[in-house]
């Protein structure tokens, strides 16, 4: 069976747009959550989010290119370019048919949709921007990345809410394993901070308010947690068939060793314990390593009351006695809930944890919840050997995905 | 502003070049305007002149001059 390794990564996130800055910020426990600056919040009850700071579209694209790129596509292209450059990959013509793209997104081009609907409903506009459809479609980011880098292999988008990019990475892994492609650019992007999307999220009553302390708003697993914080960002990983990576002497971050995906078939928002547990087991089964080799889990850890309890139970169910030996952290405490990009950004954090043998912390952890009683790496990173690590994503809709990575060499 | 100046302004805006660089006798092909740009130009003309350009007329506009002529007809005909 063909093996798959990670040879490059690119990130555009609320806590950094280079791998170095991204991981340093996570290790420092520094949050990127702030008062929203990019949209008018005067009519919003929730005024905080994890925005990408200092992102200037014109540094990356011409005006003409920007006419056709929603924000979620822009940041996907930027992350894909930096992943390719990190991998040291020069794409030549014979490679293109074997190079694919798999990107997750939950919201697609919602900035474009928001603006179009505002014109139609609020302004009663006679006409709408003719590029609205090609900008807003959920596959726009995958198509744009494919065009910008000239990838002609399998290319598609995956939309499973908060698990989108974990599913896309898992699928990309299997595409290479099964021989459909040799290299896949896998990950996802989301830019959901629009007035319309924020209003809809407010209505669900699961958002943290962060009053008086935006940076400390997201407190996964802590007894005083009060909900999730919406974020925006993109993460792309270069997945490459092992022999191909070896031939070109590529630096290898880690091996993608397992993928699990299950559905709760339960409730549209209320999760089960067994669905996530089965997804973790399925991913571990594919790795073929015993569970005592697992050292770190990058948790879904949304900081909602229910998720963190259910996830803790699921981890205990899968790992038994090993559960208390694991380092488990939610980096969402710092980069926020990046929705369809979460899985990709969190897998990048997971891979760097494995590469450097250090678990990034769960920031803003104040006090234990009796129902969340594992090692959540509170506030300070923990240096420890990391042989195998999991990245968990559990979506609204009961769709669960887990990717397992293994130290290489 | 004359109709010609307004048409050139719309085209310049749509393809992101300076209006001064667009000659009144240039064809869309010479300006590197593809079909998608064409759609955006028609959208811009509709906005600028507050009119609706039927698809049959849009198809016929392949140069700055043609755009000016068509728009002049429509603008003159308007009450």
């Amino acid at each position: 069976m063909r093996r798959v390794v990670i040879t490059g990564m690119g990130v555009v996130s609320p806590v950094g747009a280079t791998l170095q800055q991204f991981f340093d910020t996570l290790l420092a426990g520094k949050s990127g959550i702030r008062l929203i600056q990019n949209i008018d919040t005067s009519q919003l009850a929730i005024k905080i989010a994890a925005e990408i700071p200092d992102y200037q579209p014109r540094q990356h694209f011409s005006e003409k290119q920007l006419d056709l790129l929603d924000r979620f596509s822009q940041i996907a292209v930027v992350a894909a370019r930096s992943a390719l450059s990190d991998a040291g990959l020069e794409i030549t013509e014979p490679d293109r048919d074997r190079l694919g793209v798999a990107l997750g997104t939950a919201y697609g081009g919602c900035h474009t949709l928001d603006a179009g609907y505002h014109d139609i409903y609020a302004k009663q506009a006679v006409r709408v921007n003719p590029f609205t459809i090609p900008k807003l479609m959920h596959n726009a980011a995958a198509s744009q990345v494919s065009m910008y880098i000239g990838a002609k292999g399998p290319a598609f988008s995956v939309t499973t809410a908060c698990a989108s990019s974990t599913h896309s990475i898992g699928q990309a892994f299997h595409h290479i394993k099964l021989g459909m492609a040799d290299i896949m650019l896998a990950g996802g992007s989301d830019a959901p901070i629009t007035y319309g999307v924020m209003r809809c999220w407010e209505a669900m009553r699961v958002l943290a308010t962060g009053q008086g302390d935006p940076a400390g708003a997201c407190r996964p697993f802590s007894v005083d947690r009060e909900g999730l914080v919406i974020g925006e960002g993109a993460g792309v990983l270069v997945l490459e068939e092992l022999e191909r990576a070896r031939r070109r002497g590529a630096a290898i971050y880690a091996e993608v060793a397992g993928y699990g995906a299950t559905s709760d078939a339960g409730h549209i928002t209320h999760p089960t314990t067994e669905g996530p547990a089965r997804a973790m087991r399925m991913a571990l089964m594919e790795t073929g390593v015993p569970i005592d080799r697992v050292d770190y889990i990058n948790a879904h850890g949304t900081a909602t009351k229910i998720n963190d309890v259910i996830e803790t139970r699921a981890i205990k169910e899968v790992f038994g006695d090993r559960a208390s030996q694991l380092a488990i952290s939610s980096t969402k405490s710092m980069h926020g809930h990046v929705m369809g990009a979460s899985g990709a950004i969190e897998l990048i954090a997971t891979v760097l944890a494995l590469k450097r043998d250090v678990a990034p912390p769960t920031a803003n952890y104040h006090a234990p919840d009796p129902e969340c009683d594992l090692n959540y790496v509170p506030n300070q990173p923990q240096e420890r050997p990391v042989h195998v690590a999991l990245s968990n994503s559990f979506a609204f809709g009961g769709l669960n995905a887990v990717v397992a990575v293994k130290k290489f060499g | 502003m004359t109709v010609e100046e307004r048409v050139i302004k719309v085209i310049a805006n749509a393809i992101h070049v300076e209006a001064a660089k667009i000659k009144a006798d240039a064809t869309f092909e010479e300006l590197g305007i593809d079909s998608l740009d064409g759609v955006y130009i028609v959208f811009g003309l509709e906005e600028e002149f507050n009119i609706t350009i039927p698809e049959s007329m849009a198809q016929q506009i392949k140069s700055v001059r043609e755009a000016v002529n068509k728009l002049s007809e429509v603008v003159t005909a308007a009450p």
Side-chain angles (χ1 to χ4, degrees), chain B residues 5-49:
Chain B
E5 284 166 342
R6 290 165 75 191
V7 167
I8 287 177
K9 182 184 79 179
V10 167
I11 296 172
N13 203 27
I15 63 172
H16 303 290
V17 300
E18 286 170 45
K21 295 205 170 134
I22 297 178
K23 302 277 176 281
D25 56 0
T27 65
F28 283 6
E29 198 183 342
E30 285 164 352
L31 293 169
I33 290 168
D34 62 22
S35 61
L36 202 54
D37 294 328
V39 172
Y40 206 37
I41 289 168
V42 170
F43 167 72
L45 292 172
E46 289 185 330
E47 287 278 291
E48 172 67 25
F49 293 94

Side-chain angles (χ1 to χ4, degrees), chain A residues 171-376:
Chain A
Q171 294 296 327
F173 162 51
H174 283 175
H175 269 58
I176 299 176
K177 192 169 176 178
L178 296 173
M180 288 179 71
D182 294 331
I183 304 172
M184 292 289 291
L185 288 179
S189 68
D190 248 326
I193 305 168
T194 70
Y195 180 67
V197 172
M198 289 301 294
R199 282 292 302 274
C200 296
W201 269 104
E202 280 179 4
M204 276 205 80
R205 298 171 181 272
V206 293
L207 297 185
T209 58
Q211 266 160 11
D213 179 22
C218 186
R219 302 188 286 274
F221 303 107
S222 185
V223 71
D224 61 349
R225 65 189 181 278
E226 59 155 2
L228 59 88
V229 176
I230 307 281
E232 58 173 359
V236 174
L237 298 93
V238 177
L239 271 49
E240 193 168 354
E241 193 269 324
L242 173 61
E243 293 311 319
R244 192 193 187 286
R246 272 194 176 132
R247 274 198 304 276
R248 69 179 185 91
I252 291 169
Y253 281 105
E255 178 168 5
V256 185
Y259 168 47
T262 63
S263 176
D264 290 350
H267 186 275
I268 194 70
T269 57
H270 196 288
T272 65
T273 305
E274 69 90 27
R278 280 190 298 119
M280 283 187 270
R281 281 206 190 95
M282 193 187 287
L284 287 168
M285 184 95 75
E286 191 174 11
T287 65
V289 299
I291 58 168
D292 61 5
R293 296 296 283 169
V294 179
D295 299 294
Y296 174 62
I297 298 178
N298 188 298
H300 187 53
T302 55
T304 59
K305 288 286 175 206
I306 183 82
N307 173 84
D308 297 1
V309 171
I310 294 280
E311 188 166 11
T312 299
R313 283 187 204 150
I315 291 170
K316 286 182 182 175
E317 197 177 300
V318 173
F319 287 90
D321 292 345
R322 179 72 187 164
S324 57
Q325 310 293 309
L326 296 166
I328 300 161
S329 65
S330 170
T331 48
K332 283 189 178 77
S333 53
M334 297 168 275
H335 53 62
H337 194 333
V338 205
M339 300 286 137
S342 293
I345 287 179
E346 290 163 18
L347 184 62
I348 291 172
T350 307
V351 167
L352 291 171
L354 181 122
K355 184 79 184 159
R356 301 204 200 164
D357 289 318
V358 55
T362 301
N364 311 315
Y365 185 92
H366 295 150
D369 174 340
E371 290 192 89
C372 300
D373 54 356
L374 296 172
N375 169 18
Y376 304 106

Side-chain angles (χ1 to χ4, degrees), chain A residues 47-92:
Chain A
K47 298 178 191 296
I48 59 166
E51 293 177 307
I52 303 163
D54 311 323
Y55 171 68
Q56 303 293 342
R58 278 159 199 84
Q59 283 180 358
H60 305 277
F61 303 100
S62 71
E63 293 288 343
K64 195 165 159 64
Q65 289 172 323
L66 287 171
D67 283 344
L68 285 164
L69 293 167
D70 186 273
R71 190 172 173 91
F72 96 110
S73 294
Q74 295 169 30
I75 57 179
V77 171
V78 174
R81 281 172 170 168
S82 56
L84 272 182
S85 130
D86 184 50
L89 261 179
E90 291 287 333
I91 306 296
T92 58

